[in-house]
Amino acid sequence: MCFCFPAVTLSLFFAGTDGGWMPAPSVGNCPPGLEYLTQLDQMLVKQKVELLEAFTGFETANKYKVLNTMGQQLYYAKEDSDCCTRNCCGPLRPFDMKILDNNQMEVMHLNRPLACTSCCFPCCLQSLEVSSPPGTVIGTVKQDWSILKPKFSVCNASGDVILRIEGPLCTCSICGDVEFTVLSAEGDVPVGKISKQWTGLVKEAFTDADNFGISFPMDLDVKMKATLLGAVFLIVSVGLTVLGVYS
């Protein structure tokens, strides 16, 4: 089964084309703000380049746009962490992240506690909790102990594994994309992918801004789609280099 992102999608993605905000569909029996996800099988996550960080190396709070394949914005995400934590803990830092809709209403809340990524400490690996509406947990993403490849479990609110994510043996982005495969709960059937897009030599060298694409089945439960979006932010925040060294 092949999961790909069309060339027109990537051109919008890299160019930062402003396609406006996606109109909110009318859907019942869905957490408020997640209605957009019911009609999607792909999303793009574009990190804002911070000039202060690019020129000084001073770690700033990350900000992102979440887009559909037409370049229309779904959400705006911003990290909530303090300056000391960002610059002392780097990619291992704990944080909260607010995901807002076009009315600036918080529709999702992500929480990443302080943990490590080393295979020497399998009881203290990375995790991220997804709530929607804020305060109501709908899923979690947990890093699995693995020596060779970065692996994650995507769980529902009850802690049952619904999906698994497996990264490549080499997570270094050297003039090419880095792809993580989204698998069934048993880990044997590919159902989607998370792809870190190569953004060019200058941007890759001087900033840590990342662009990700994510695909999943159209009929996947909307809460699991939201949790997969959380998985992207966990992978982004940990960093591909850290995952490649310590997974």
Side-chain angles (χ1 to χ4, degrees):
M1 186 178 297
C2 178
F3 301 92
C4 59
F5 300 97
V8 64
T9 295
L10 296 183
S11 64
L12 286 171
F13 188 62
F14 293 133
T17 302
D18 184 4
W21 286 84
M22 177 180 173
S26 180
V27 180
N29 194 28
C30 177
L34 300 191
E35 297 92 349
Y36 301 100
L37 304 184
T38 60
Q39 300 184 352
L40 299 177
D41 61 359
Q42 294 183 31
M43 286 185 286
L44 305 173
V45 178
K46 183 172 185 177
Q47 185 173 356
K48 180 182 178 182
V49 176
E50 300 289 348
L51 294 180
L52 174 64
E53 187 172 332
F55 286 109
T56 68
F58 186 82
E59 189 74 28
T60 57
N62 292 326
K63 303 177 182 67
Y64 307 86
K65 287 183 178 181
V66 182
L67 314 171
N68 64 15
T69 55
M70 300 299 293
Q72 295 175 314
Q73 189 166 343
L74 309 172
Y75 304 112
Y76 173 74
K78 58 181 181 179
E79 177 185 347
D80 183 7
S81 62
D82 62 78
C83 176
C84 180
T85 300
R86 289 195 301 271
N87 288 279
C88 291
C89 299
L92 299 183
R93 64 183 180 267
F95 64 79
D96 288 279
M97 183 173 289
K98 296 179 179 180
I99 299 182
L100 313 174
D101 64 9
N102 63 337
N103 295 315
Q104 295 298 299
M105 297 292 294
E106 185 178 1
V107 297
M108 280 183 271
H109 189 94
L110 312 182
N111 175 260
R112 175 193 174 191
L114 180 65
C116 67
T117 61
S118 174
C119 62
C120 298
F121 300 95
C123 61
C124 191
L125 297 177
Q126 293 294 319
S127 65
L128 182 138
E129 184 179 79
V130 182
S131 300
S132 181
T136 302
V137 177
I138 61 172
T140 57
V141 183
K142 300 177 181 178
Q143 184 182 10
D144 299 326
W145 184 82
S146 175
I147 296 177
L148 297 178
K149 297 181 178 181
K151 296 181 179 182
F152 300 86
S153 294
V154 180
C155 308
N156 61 18
S158 301
D160 303 318
V161 176
I162 305 300
L163 297 168
R164 298 188 185 275
I165 300 172
E166 183 175 306
L169 186 62
C170 176
T171 58
C172 295
S173 179
I174 305 175
C175 300
D177 298 347
V178 179
E179 295 186 352
F180 290 71
T181 304
V182 180
L183 304 164
S184 61
E186 294 74 21
D188 56 351
V189 180
V191 298
K193 76 174 181 178
I194 296 172
S195 179
K196 195 274 184 186
Q197 311 291 347
W198 169 255
T199 54
L201 182 60
V202 173
K203 190 172 180 181
E204 292 283 346
F206 293 102
T207 77
D208 63 358
D210 291 317
N211 294 331
F212 277 77
I214 175 174
S215 65
F216 40 73
M218 181 70 77
D219 59 355
L220 182 66
D221 183 89
V222 68
K223 296 179 181 179
M224 288 298 97
K225 291 182 181 182
T227 305
L228 274 177
L229 178 59
V232 173
F233 289 117
L234 180 59
I235 293 171
V236 170
S237 61
V238 174
L240 298 181
T241 302
V242 175
L243 285 175
V245 173
Y246 293 113
S247 55

